[in-house]
Amino acid sequence: MEYQEAKEKFINTWGSLGTLWGINKAMAQIQSLLFISTKPLSMEEIMAELKISRGNTSMNLRQLMDWGIVTKELVPGERKEFFATEKDVQELARHIAKERSRREIKPVIKILKEVSSIEDDGTAKTKELIKQTKALFDLAETADTMMNKIVNQEHNWITKSLLKLIK
Amino acid sequence: MEYQEAKEKFINTWGSLGTLWGINKAMAQIQSLLFISTKPLSMEEIMAELKISRGNTSMNLRQLMDWGIVTKELVPGERKEFFATEKDVQELARHIAKERSRREIKPVIKILKEVSSIEDDGTAKTKELIKQTKALFDLAETADTMMNKIVNQEHNWITKSLLKLIK
DNA sequence: ACAAACTTTCAATAATTATTGAAAGTTCAG
DNA sequence: CTGAACTTTCAATAATTATTGAAAGTTTGT
């Protein structure tokens, strides 16, 4: 396998994984293209490389910037804009985990809390609803906290301790 | 908020979260309905409750069974089949993590390994591809291992240690 | 073996989501 | 200020994914 094939394989695989996890394909592909690029890329270059339209490229670049994992890079002497992604995988994971927590997990936790706090009218079905949503609430909150802590602190020590613990 | 409203809120929220994470809405809703039910439900009951067709119900129940989180329960004296989901959230998380790892993460890790193992031809772009996919490979493998270990063992002790570590 | 009771399958259709491309918007050099 | 170079927006369209419902399949009691 040489460069071109490996590159395509990587970009495609990443694109499909994204799709599977509710992330749009173009977005995942743009990010992965930038991730292995040696320099920031212009919109033209991204369009050409991935064979996607200008509009699609623009919108997905925006989303990636909203997620905090792609930035505009101004290249001196160039009029057009260039884009680069966070290159450090740890930082990348940190951003993504943080955002998914904020946008998706936290709101669900809030609802779980509400639902599990309804008044117990003494019926079996109400008791069950309270019990189960409470259990889910506890799990979600623990997982969310763990995720954020692991991913947030400068955490070489914590990662190491963790790995020692579970290996 | 009383029972009916809370129940609907829970089922809907769970359904949307599923969608967001690449899980089909009906599937997520069926699972959450079973999760708060005090007894196994028949297909008729599920269809009526969620207002979905027989075919849809049948297919999604099958998928839930493939994921190992829903089982058929034979109720004595009844001809029709009844369904129940795993009620313990820890077990539930265990099953889901295990399956997602097996189906989705492991295959990607394999590709990352392949791609990061191409021959270094000395060019900058090849070096970058190798370096970045290798970093991703390491991260993915560590995360996958952690996830599986955390979620697999009888792990009260490990969870406790973990929480102590990161709190 | 039959038929009632039930489940599964799958082609057709609907709903959702992604993508395009051209018009509108912005920026900036001269 | 003007217009070329570039980006964004968004209505139309395409692609994908979910859902339906009825026919085919299966199981079980008699």
Side-chain angles (χ1 to χ4, degrees), chain A residues 93-104:
Chain A
R94 195 176 88 77
H95 275 294
I96 293 169
K98 199 174 163 188
E99 280 294 294
R100 284 210 107 148
S101 165
R102 186 176 69 75
R103 299 178 186 201
E104 299 162 7

Side-chain angles (χ1 to χ4, degrees), chain A residues 100-115:
Chain A
R100 284 210 107 148
S101 165
R102 186 176 69 75
R103 299 178 186 201
E104 299 162 7
I105 312 300
K106 291 258 159 60
V108 169
I109 288 179
K110 188 158 164 280
I111 304 261
L112 287 176
K113 193 184 185 108
E114 278 174 46
V115 170

Side-chain angles (χ1 to χ4, degrees), chain A residues 59-122:
Chain A
M59 284 178 133
N60 283 107
L61 277 171
R62 167 120 78 107
Q63 279 211 75
L64 285 163
M65 290 188 288
D66 288 348
W67 274 79
I69 59 182
V70 162
T71 49
K72 275 186 187 162
E73 305 283 318
L74 295 190
V75 172
E78 286 273 15
R79 176 100 170 241
K80 63 167 87 85
E81 297 172 323
F82 290 79
F83 300 89
T85 192
E86 171 61 55
K87 284 277 190 166
D88 179 64
V89 286
Q90 305 273 353
E91 268 303 294
L92 205 52
R94 195 176 88 77
H95 275 294
I96 293 169
K98 199 174 163 188
E99 280 294 294
R100 284 210 107 148
S101 165
R102 186 176 69 75
R103 299 178 186 201
E104 299 162 7
I105 312 300
K106 291 258 159 60
V108 169
I109 288 179
K110 188 158 164 280
I111 304 261
L112 287 176
K113 193 184 185 108
E114 278 174 46
V115 170
S116 67
S117 305
I118 61 168
E119 200 197 340
D120 184 353
D121 63 9

Side-chain angles (χ1 to χ4, degrees), chain A residues 138-149:
Chain A
D138 289 342
L139 177 72
E141 211 175 44
T142 302
D144 186 57
T145 304
M146 260 179 59
M147 183 63 85
N148 275 289
K149 295 263 176 171

Side-chain angles (χ1 to χ4, degrees), chain B residues 2-158:
Chain B
E2 58 9 300
Y3 181 73
Q4 193 57 30
E5 188 191 343
K7 175 180 176 177
E8 278 164 22
K9 198 163 190 172
F10 172 62
I11 290 172
N12 283 333
T13 305
W14 218 237
S16 328
L17 184 67
T19 301
L20 219 48
W21 285 75
I23 286 153
N24 131 326
K25 188 175 136 210
M27 190 170 152
Q29 289 188 325
I30 293 172
Q31 198 277 328
S32 59
L33 178 62
L34 295 175
F35 188 68
I36 57 171
S37 169
T38 52
K39 57 178 208 327
L41 300 179
S42 69
M43 225 163 82
E44 293 292 341
E45 290 171 306
I46 296 170
M47 287 167 59
E49 191 78 55
L50 302 178
K51 294 171 169 89
I52 58 179
S53 72
R54 189 175 296 286
N56 199 4
T57 308
S58 172
M59 285 176 131
N60 283 108
L61 277 170
R62 167 119 79 104
Q63 278 212 74
L64 285 164
M65 289 188 287
D66 289 347
W67 275 78
I69 59 181
V70 162
T71 49
K72 275 185 189 164
E73 305 283 317
L74 295 190
V75 172
E78 286 272 17
R79 175 101 171 239
K80 63 167 85 83
E81 296 172 324
F82 290 79
F83 300 89
T85 191
E86 172 60 56
K87 284 277 189 164
D88 180 64
V89 286
Q90 305 273 353
E91 268 303 294
L92 204 53
R94 195 176 88 77
H95 273 295
I96 293 169
K98 199 174 162 188
E99 279 295 295
R100 284 210 110 149
S101 166
R102 186 177 68 76
R103 299 178 186 201
E104 299 162 8
I105 312 299
K106 291 258 159 60
V108 169
I109 288 179
K110 189 158 164 279
I111 304 260
L112 285 176
K113 195 188 182 103
E114 279 173 47
V115 170
S116 67
S117 305
I118 61 168
E119 201 197 338
D120 184 352
D121 62 10
T123 64
K125 59 188 192 174
T126 300
K127 279 184 191 304
E128 185 71 7
L129 177 64
I130 292 173
K131 177 177 149 230
Q132 292 298 78
T133 52
K134 188 151 183 7
L136 223 39
F137 170 78
D138 289 342
L139 177 73
E141 211 174 45
T142 302
D144 187 56
T145 303
M146 262 179 56
M147 183 63 87
N148 275 290
K149 295 264 176 170
I150 289 174
V151 112
N152 262 308
Q153 347 282 75
E154 24 47 73
H155 56 264
N156 251 340
W157 71 269
I158 216 176

Side-chain angles (χ1 to χ4, degrees), chain A residues 151-166:
Chain A
V151 113
N152 261 307
Q153 346 284 76
E154 26 45 73
H155 56 268
N156 251 341
W157 72 270
I158 217 177
T159 303
K160 274 179 201 149
S161 319
L162 258 174
L163 283 177
K164 225 173 280 168
L165 222 91
I166 64 184

